Amino acid sequence: MYITCLDLEGVLVPEIWIAFAQASGIPELKRTTRDEPDYNKLMNWRISVLKEHNLGLKEIQETIAKIDPLPGAKEFLDELRSFCQVIIISDTFTQFAKPLMEKLGWPTIFCNSLEVSESGEITGFKMRIENSKLTTVKALQSIGYETIASGDSYNDLGMIKASKAGFLFRSTDKIKNDYPELPAYENFDDLMKAIKAAMD
């Protein structure tokens, strides 16, 4: 029995923080897990930038409402879910993910949550579990599933390497060069073929 575990941002939808950096005119917020392997460090830094600019959850949600899935992402997900269980494992937050899940046809997502004050200021974040992607994949394996995983960033490498088959998708040249043993794909058709081949 297989479960395919997919990253969300950069794989199925555009990077939320990059979209918000463009919408808010704060270029430094373009920094993502493709650039910074330490997620806690990255999020604490983002929260401090938001505070400095007096921006909160509302402004980010307004940007997210305008984000559409990457071209072909919903069709890819629909086809994949027709023959395989799929879980999106993301380091994003429930407060960000909901409108995107609606546009993707309500797939299952495991993600984290933000701590938000009554005024709407983001004051912190609560990770579901340490190393959530790798830990989740190992938990699925412990209850009898084979996992196939795909993602684009440093924080996806653990689940990709721990799975029966793992693929980089639309990743950076640096990550692809640092991990040449991981098959890397740029379009959904090739990723679908690789997932199907891994299940044969």
Side-chain angles (χ1 to χ4, degrees):
M1 189 74 174
Y2 286 96
I3 288 188
T4 301
C5 299
L6 299 173
D7 178 35
L8 177 64
E9 294 178 65
V11 174
L12 298 170
V13 303
E15 292 279 353
I16 290 168
W17 288 96
I18 290 177
F20 185 63
Q22 288 163 343
S24 64
I26 306 168
E28 60 263 39
L29 283 174
K30 286 184 179 171
R31 194 167 173 74
T32 71
T33 47
R34 290 171 162 216
D35 313 299
E36 173 52 72
D38 185 331
Y39 190 75
N40 285 349
K41 183 176 165 189
L42 178 63
M43 266 314 295
N44 283 318
W45 175 78
R46 284 169 170 165
I47 288 169
S48 71
V49 173
L50 292 174
K51 196 177 177 70
E52 187 187 321
H53 291 271
N54 204 23
L55 294 167
L57 179 59
K58 179 172 152 296
E59 289 80 9
I60 300 174
Q61 286 178 326
E62 284 168 358
T63 296
I64 293 169
K66 298 175 191 152
I67 293 175
D68 287 319
L70 293 168
K74 185 176 184 302
E75 294 77 8
F76 165 78
L77 208 48
D78 288 345
E79 184 183 341
L80 188 56
R81 290 163 74 195
S82 74
F83 64 85
C84 174
Q85 296 295 313
V86 180
I87 298 175
I88 296 170
I89 308 175
S90 173
D91 279 338
T92 194
F93 305 96
T94 53
Q95 295 95 331
F96 290 1
K98 190 175 175 185
L100 298 169
M101 293 305 99
E102 183 176 2
K103 289 177 182 178
L104 287 168
W106 297 113
T108 299
I109 184 168
F110 293 173
C111 60
N112 306 303
S113 57
L114 290 167
E115 293 165 353
V116 184
S117 73
E118 284 184 15
S119 67
E121 182 190 347
I122 297 170
T123 55
F125 58 100
K126 190 174 186 330
M127 301 300 278
R128 186 169 51 82
I129 196 165
E130 191 77 20
N131 288 325
S132 66
K133 298 187 182 194
L134 174 60
T135 307
T136 302
V137 156
K138 286 187 166 171
L140 292 167
Q141 292 165 351
S142 77
I143 54 171
Y145 286 97
E146 293 267 27
T147 60
I148 294 170
S150 184
D152 68 326
S153 297
Y154 285 105
N155 62 340
D156 299 312
L157 294 170
M159 74 171 181
I160 289 171
K161 290 177 170 181
S163 292
K164 185 193 177 199
F167 312 108
L168 291 170
F169 186 68
R170 297 168 58 117
S171 190
T172 64
D173 288 340
K174 181 169 188 350
I175 293 174
K176 287 188 278 194
N177 291 336
D178 287 350
Y179 298 91
E181 73 280 9
L182 297 177
Y185 300 104
E186 297 299 318
N187 66 67
F188 289 118
D189 287 345
D190 289 345
L191 181 59
M192 182 66 77
K193 283 178 197 154
I195 291 171
K196 285 180 174 173
M199 291 182 184
D200 286 345

